[in-house]
Amino acid sequence: MGITASRLKMVHQPEPQQKAAGAVACMSWMLQSAESEQLQSAYHIQAASAQEQLLQGKPDLWDSGVVASGQSLHVEYQGLLPRAGKRCWWRVRVWDESGSPSEWSEAAVWTQAHLEPSEWIAKWIGSVIPKELELPPASYLRKAFQTERHVKNATAYASALGLYELTINGKRATDERFAPGWTDYHTRAQYQVCDVTHLLHQGSNAIGIILGTGWYAGYLGMMGRQVYGESPRLLFQLHLAYEDGSEEWLISDDSWRMSKGPILYSDIIKGEKYDARLAQSGWDEPGFQDVDWEQPHCFQYYEGELTLQRDPPIRVMEQIRPLSVRKTEQGSYIYDLGQNIAGWTRLQISGCSGQEITVRHAEMLDADGSLYLANLRKAVQTDIYILRGDGSEELEPHFTYHGFRYVEVEGAEDELTLDQLLGLAAYSAAEASGWVETSDEMINRLYSNIVWGQKGNFFSVPTDCPQRDERLGWTGDAQIFVRTACYNMDVEAFFKKYMVDVADAQREDGAFPDTAPDANWSYFKQVSSAKWFAPDNAGWGDAGVIIPWTLYLMYGDAAILKQYYDRMKQWVDYLKANSNDLIRPDYADHADWLSVNADTPKDVLATQYFAYSTRLFARIAALVGNEADAASYDELFEQIKRAFTSRFVTTDGIIEGDTQTVYALALYFGLLTEEQCEKSARRLIQLIEENGNHLSTGFLGVGYLLPVLSEIGQNELAYTLLHQESYPSWLYSVKHGATTIWERWDGWTEHGGFQSPSMNSFNHYSLGSVGEWMFRYMAGLEPDPQQPGFKHIRFQPRPGGTLKYVKAHYESGYGRIEASWEYDEQQGITVKLTLPPNTTASVILPEPAVRAQGQAKSLEAGSLHYEVGSGAYTFYCVQTGKKEGKADYE
């Protein structure tokens, strides 16, 4: 037998027909084989309510029968759904191309976690917070209960308008933080489900929950506090299934007890103050005397939708020991983690009762060696602890996080050492999926900075900076970086949740938002001193089309295109309705944000993005089988293209604005005739050379610049920009010690010092969208839109610059893909590719191959183009010249 199935995976995703997340389940599996060129030709799935039944071949939930298909990703579950809290065991076997079946895979299991609205019987409980109380204390809630019968399974369901931490019998139920995550609470709130069977005792038990303000009632960005509501509240249900077959629900209601505790306040933006003297030992354990505790207030039922969390939870993902610590003249201690992160610190310290310890966080140091805090605006990256005074104490905040590399500890009486402080990097727990390594350590540091910028800002939503009073889910930033993000980490579930936020914020007229969740931004921008009035923003609203398309390309699931089809259509129709002869107006607020001395005209850029969204939507319509829409919107794209060239492009290829961005977007989006492409490409090259081989693009242009250069045969110029070390360039910040991507090219410069503190983040990801080029062009790994999710791979590595080698890998849904090339002056270029089973690739080499090693029959010496199946391949190449090409937009 050639192949076997392994690594079974079940995911739940929103129903395509529903606005909100529903309960459709999809199955995926990976194939293993010791042989090359292995493809699946059929599969057979069985599912049962008990493992024993499944292994006995008695699938009482589903038996698919033999299905002739090569699909091993996103196979929709079509069996009976178990009730909430019940399990589904399943297995699969597959057939290879010769018709030989594999053995059954090992059984996998999933639990039905979705609750119908009628199954929520708990009450929302908490404390009524006075509106004028700026930083309220956290609420401590507890419930003692007895379980005299033996518990077979115990499942906790929890949500909050605010943030919660759950413990059972004094032990944390999960390692998740900032639950239930950020959504538009006017529309929906997420809930989490966890198995807590192992935490329960027969007899006395206790539930403990700390409730904080979070995004719901605390400070949110620069919009102030209480954007969604004034008083945080908790919803909790514990399902107990006993060995005797009986069941019971324990719910949050007015029988619970509530008190204040040591958390005097804990706010996402304003930090935390914690008085350890107020801690009540054993408060979340059975036997604690809570007679002095209060009865919680029961709130009216929440009118929004309760949605099961589908995206990865926020967790502490990495722990970082400081590189150094020094004592200042003022007696404080400043630690350097050596890496800019988002998260918080854990401090081990001892002192006297009532002694106050202040912990401040910053990304940079001022010239005098003190913390650079000017860029925080109204954020307070400070945690204050009042010691209990009974020995060594461990200090760590609960519902706040910071963006920082440097930590100052003030108030310690004894000398502090390196091992007393630990940096905790927290982010949405998406698994790493790709990596790039080159022969140039500065390029490697740049790529590391890109990844750390993603880690520091993927915090329930793709935020824009973790340090100042903003941390909003900007759609434009997200769409320009989404392909890079997909290569770096498995962000399919993360962005599917974010698209729910984007859809929730879409206006009735079809306009997609600037930020998601909206967080009152649409109102705030009209009353702020910046006077941003644009009803929509090109490149920002277009995220509603670009992100679903990119997720389809990278992960191969067409369901997201169906789910948001009508919303994407509404967006394109909105753009058309709000255009003048298909030319978009020039009112955009953001445009090519933070470009360098190159102001791209807003109407030019807006019309370009109008065309791009239209072109993508036409392709999406064809993919989902709506041929009428595909033809209609393809024709609309052609009309926009003609309107664009007529209005903005001269006969000699000059585009109005004459910036690098207008040319990069016009070429990438396919807006020019063949003759105009050649002329505009030459002008783009000229602009770069006249700028001293420096880029000038902002947020929207930067992601397309190098791909266009590689496509038009200017690969070496692309490498020149990548290698550039003087300002402005990617390596300028690397050269000056950056460990994340900066928000601005000139966040700090030798000639000007720090940029304006009003907007100067040193942990942002947008300008790191060059990571996409590193994978797609430098390493050559690109999915085929006709067989997405890396089912078929377009492998076309483009060596260049001063690099001697590039190595890359990517964990696709089919398995690990490895690619590399190495240049030797004597031997030429050696290219390697390894593909997992059930995938194929078109290989286009940088130059004609001298020799090729592998088992594919199509490997012929001297060829430039190969078609290969799974397995490992080596190609030996010589350089004979440069290959010209034409830009495309995929």
Side-chain angles (χ1 to χ4, degrees):
M1 171 59 196
I3 52 177
T4 58
S6 65
R7 295 182 65 180
L8 280 61
K9 181 180 180 182
M10 169 68 73
V11 297
H12 292 76
Q13 60 189 25
E15 289 276 10
Q17 300 83 3
Q18 295 179 351
K19 174 183 177 182
V24 61
C26 288
M27 299 168 154
S28 299
W29 55 89
M30 289 185 183
L31 304 178
Q32 294 180 331
S33 178
E35 303 174 24
S36 297
E37 297 202 312
Q38 290 297 306
L39 293 172
Q40 171 188 300
S41 63
Y43 66 80
H44 183 190
I45 298 172
Q46 290 184 338
S49 56
Q51 186 176 19
E52 297 77 15
Q53 285 181 263
L54 185 69
L55 298 180
Q56 292 170 7
K58 300 177 180 179
D60 60 327
L61 295 179
W62 187 33
D63 190 326
S64 71
V66 179
V67 179
S69 171
Q71 185 178 1
S72 58
L73 293 182
H74 310 297
V75 176
E76 185 174 340
Y77 177 79
Q78 297 179 355
L80 298 174
L81 289 173
R83 291 192 299 113
K86 300 298 183 180
R87 294 180 174 182
C88 175
W89 294 84
W90 68 287
R91 63 182 182 176
V92 63
R93 59 176 176 167
V94 298
W95 280 257
D96 64 13
E97 285 191 302
S98 67
S100 299
S102 71
E103 298 295 326
W104 285 104
S105 68
E106 292 186 3
V109 63
W110 58 276
T111 301
Q112 177 61 281
H114 177 73
L115 285 184
E116 296 296 332
S118 61
E119 295 178 284
W120 283 104
I121 57 177
K123 295 183 178 179
W124 291 89
I125 62 174
S127 176
V128 178
I129 304 298
K131 186 175 180 62
E132 63 274 10
L133 184 56
E134 180 186 4
L135 294 170
S139 295
Y140 287 70
L141 298 127
R142 62 173 268 112
K143 174 68 175 180
F145 65 100
Q146 296 288 121
T147 54
E148 300 303 336
R149 290 166 289 174
H150 186 72
V151 176
K152 182 179 180 181
N153 295 112
T155 307
Y157 299 78
S159 184
L161 301 180
L163 299 174
Y164 74 88
E165 289 184 1
L166 169 65
T167 59
I168 307 283
N169 294 326
K171 296 181 179 178
R172 286 190 66 115
T174 72
D175 60 354
E176 299 178 12
R177 307 296 290 261
F178 288 79
W182 183 14
T183 54
D184 181 350
Y185 300 104
H186 297 315
T187 305
R188 77 183 68 253
Q190 297 189 135
Y191 65 90
Q192 287 73 39
V193 181
C194 63
D195 186 340
V196 295
T197 311
H198 62 292
L199 297 176
L200 294 183
H201 308 146
Q202 189 163 359
S204 298
N205 293 274
I207 301 165
I209 296 178
I210 309 175
L211 181 63
T213 53
W215 293 282
Y216 176 77
Y219 277 88
L220 180 54
M222 54 278 211
M223 272 69 79
R225 61 189 182 94
Q226 300 178 339
V227 167
Y228 298 102
E230 298 172 10
S231 301
R233 58 206 68 177
L234 167 77
L235 187 71
F236 180 85
Q237 296 190 177
L238 178 63
H239 181 254
L240 301 170
Y242 297 103
E243 289 284 1
D244 62 8
S246 61
E247 299 181 9
E248 182 181 6
W249 284 100
L250 188 152
I251 64 172
S252 55
D253 56 21
D254 57 8
S255 69
W256 285 48
R257 307 297 291 171
M258 182 180 68
S259 176
K260 297 177 183 177
I263 303 178
L264 303 183
Y265 64 82
S266 189
D267 185 270
I268 289 176
I269 299 292
K270 297 294 186 179
E272 176 167 313
K273 187 171 185 179
Y274 184 93
D275 190 342
R277 298 171 300 178
L278 302 178
Q280 302 182 56
S281 179
W283 73 274
D284 54 355
E285 298 177 7
F288 177 79
Q289 297 301 310
D290 57 14
V291 292
D292 294 332
W293 285 38
E294 302 173 350
Q295 185 181 48
H297 177 77
C298 290
F299 294 89
Q300 290 184 343
Y301 197 77
Y302 173 59
E303 294 183 356
E305 183 171 357
L306 285 173
T307 304
L308 177 63
Q309 182 178 358
R310 308 294 191 189
D311 60 312
I314 296 168
R315 291 191 173 103
V316 173
M317 299 297 291
E318 298 176 61
Q319 299 184 356
I320 300 177
R321 287 288 179 189
L323 298 180
S324 65
V325 60
R326 62 179 172 84
K327 189 173 184 179
T328 70
E329 295 180 356
Q330 294 75 30
S332 63
Y333 292 82
I334 293 182
Y335 288 87
D336 178 7
L337 296 184
Q339 174 63 54
N340 195 2
I341 67 170
W344 50 88
T345 52
R346 181 183 298 154
L347 179 66
Q348 299 279 352
I349 198 168
S350 58
C352 302
S353 178
Q355 182 178 338
E356 187 169 289
I357 304 296
T358 301
V359 184
R360 299 184 181 90
H361 305 77
E363 297 179 291
M364 301 283 277
L365 296 178
D366 257 321
D368 62 0
S370 62
L371 298 190
Y372 174 69
L373 303 173
N375 66 331
L376 302 183
R377 301 194 305 212
K378 294 181 180 180
V380 182
Q381 293 210 125
T382 302
D383 300 323
I384 302 170
Y385 304 100
I386 301 173
L387 300 183
R388 187 172 57 248
D390 58 356
S392 179
E393 301 179 49
E394 186 174 272
L395 309 177
E396 181 180 340
H398 297 75
F399 301 123
T400 190
Y401 77 101
H402 314 296
F404 66 100
R405 169 177 172 171
Y406 300 96
V407 184
E408 182 176 24
V409 179
E410 184 181 275
E413 293 184 352
D414 298 329
E415 182 176 353
L416 297 183
T417 60
L418 275 176
D419 58 3
Q420 287 180 255
L421 184 128
L422 187 65
L424 303 177
Y427 47 91
S428 291
E431 295 182 1
S433 57
W435 194 258
V436 171
E437 178 189 335
T438 77
S439 58
D440 187 323
E441 284 306 313
M442 290 191 71
I443 301 298
N444 294 342
R445 180 72 252 187
L446 169 62
Y447 179 69
S448 175
N449 291 0
I450 293 169
V451 174
W452 273 106
Q454 180 171 343
K455 292 175 179 178
N457 286 285
F458 278 33
F459 207 87
S460 187
V461 303
T463 67
D464 61 323
C465 47
Q467 71 299 109
R468 67 174 180 244
D469 60 338
E470 192 161 338
R471 314 182 197 188
L472 300 176
W474 293 100
T475 51
D477 308 34
Q479 67 85 6
I480 201 65
F481 189 76
V482 61
R483 183 88 76 101
T484 298
C486 291
Y487 278 112
N488 293 339
M489 302 167 75
D490 182 358
V491 292
E492 182 178 19
F494 177 84
F495 271 106
K496 282 183 176 179
K497 181 267 180 187
Y498 182 63
M499 275 306 302
V500 173
D501 298 327
V502 172
D504 284 345
Q506 187 178 21
R507 297 203 315 256
E508 290 186 3
D509 63 4
F512 279 123
D514 296 349
T515 64
D518 177 77
N520 251 10
W521 167 254
S522 56
Y523 168 77
F524 176 84
K525 70 178 184 178
Q526 297 181 46
V527 299
S528 72
S529 59
K531 298 188 184 304
W532 289 342
F533 300 113
D536 62 86
N537 274 284
W540 272 256
D542 299 281
V545 178
I546 294 171
I547 291 176
W549 170 253
T550 304
L551 296 183
Y552 164 76
L553 280 181
M554 296 297 289
Y555 299 111
D557 187 6
I560 194 167
L561 304 181
K562 298 173 184 178
Q563 180 184 356
Y564 296 106
Y565 184 86
D566 290 341
R567 292 183 174 276
M568 292 186 280
K569 185 175 182 179
Q570 290 169 14
W571 166 247
V572 176
D573 289 348
Y574 167 85
L575 295 178
K576 180 182 178 182
N578 290 274
S579 299
N580 185 9
D581 295 330
L582 300 182
I583 299 297
R584 292 281 292 136
D586 63 355
Y587 55 53
D589 297 320
H590 313 316
D592 192 25
W593 191 246
L594 301 182
S595 58
V596 183
N597 299 320
D599 293 331
T600 294
K602 295 175 181 179
D603 52 352
V604 176
L605 184 140
T607 304
Q608 290 176 318
Y609 264 100
F610 174 26
Y612 188 42
S613 282
T614 303
R615 188 178 190 188
L616 289 182
F617 182 70
R619 299 197 67 178
I620 290 167
L623 284 165
V624 303
N626 193 326
E627 295 300 331
D629 276 357
S632 174
Y633 286 89
D634 191 51
E635 173 57 29
L636 176 59
F637 168 76
E638 293 298 331
Q639 293 172 359
I640 301 168
K641 177 178 177 179
R642 289 193 292 270
F644 175 82
T645 55
S646 175
R647 173 74 173 271
F648 298 124
V649 185
T650 67
T651 55
D652 56 0
I654 302 299
I655 301 175
E656 186 169 319
D658 201 31
T659 65
Q660 294 177 19
T661 292
V662 297
Y663 294 105
L665 267 58
L667 290 163
Y668 194 90
F669 295 169
L671 289 172
L672 305 173
T673 65
E674 185 173 348
E675 182 180 356
Q676 288 171 334
C677 277
E678 295 178 2
K679 294 177 179 179
S680 293
R682 287 199 296 269
R683 180 55 182 161
L684 173 61
I685 297 165
Q686 185 180 11
L687 284 173
I688 294 172
E689 291 174 343
E690 289 176 351
N691 202 33
N693 285 333
H694 289 85
L695 49 72
S696 63
T697 48
F699 277 25
L700 297 184
V702 67
Y704 303 117
L705 183 60
L706 297 199
V708 162
L709 290 175
S710 291
E711 289 287 353
I712 64 175
Q714 292 295 319
N715 202 54
E716 282 305 313
L717 184 55
Y719 273 102
T720 297
L721 292 178
L722 182 71
H723 285 300
Q724 183 64 259
E725 296 181 15
S726 55
Y727 170 81
S729 67
W730 287 286
L731 294 189
Y732 184 77
S733 62
V734 172
K735 184 178 179 181
H736 291 284
T739 60
T740 44
I741 297 297
W742 293 353
E743 179 179 24
R744 316 178 71 126
W745 297 111
D746 59 349
W748 181 93
T749 59
E750 294 170 297
H751 57 274
F754 289 114
Q755 242 286 359
S756 169
S758 63
M759 195 187 75
N760 196 23
S761 166
F762 292 94
N763 190 352
H764 207 291
Y765 59 76
S766 293
L767 298 181
S769 56
V770 67
E772 175 185 334
W773 178 86
M774 291 179 173
F775 278 99
R776 289 179 62 194
Y777 293 88
M778 188 171 74
L781 292 176
E782 181 161 19
D784 183 346
Q786 301 306 314
Q787 299 182 65
F790 293 87
K791 172 74 171 171
H792 182 75
I793 298 135
R794 296 173 174 178
F795 179 54
Q796 186 177 0
R798 290 174 167 88
T802 61
L803 298 184
K804 299 301 182 184
Y805 71 82
V806 166
K807 300 177 182 177
H809 70 258
Y810 178 71
E811 300 288 347
S812 75
Y814 298 95
R816 188 182 182 97
I817 302 167
E818 296 181 349
S820 68
W821 58 261
E822 185 173 2
Y823 171 74
D824 180 88
E825 290 185 2
Q826 303 299 321
Q827 302 297 323
I829 300 172
T830 301
V831 177
K832 294 184 179 181
L833 175 67
T834 302
L835 300 177
N838 212 25
T839 65
T840 58
S842 297
V843 179
I844 302 176
L845 296 174
E847 297 294 340
V850 177
R851 289 177 293 131
Q853 292 182 350
Q855 298 185 28
K857 297 178 182 179
S858 60
L859 296 183
E860 300 176 358
S863 176
L864 180 68
H865 187 170
Y866 300 91
E867 297 295 329
V868 301
S870 63
Y873 304 92
T874 301
F875 307 89
Y876 300 92
C877 313
V878 293
Q879 291 182 298
T880 60
K882 301 201 181 298
K883 177 178 179 293
E884 297 295 322
K886 183 180 178 181
D888 200 1
Y889 72 100
E890 294 163 349

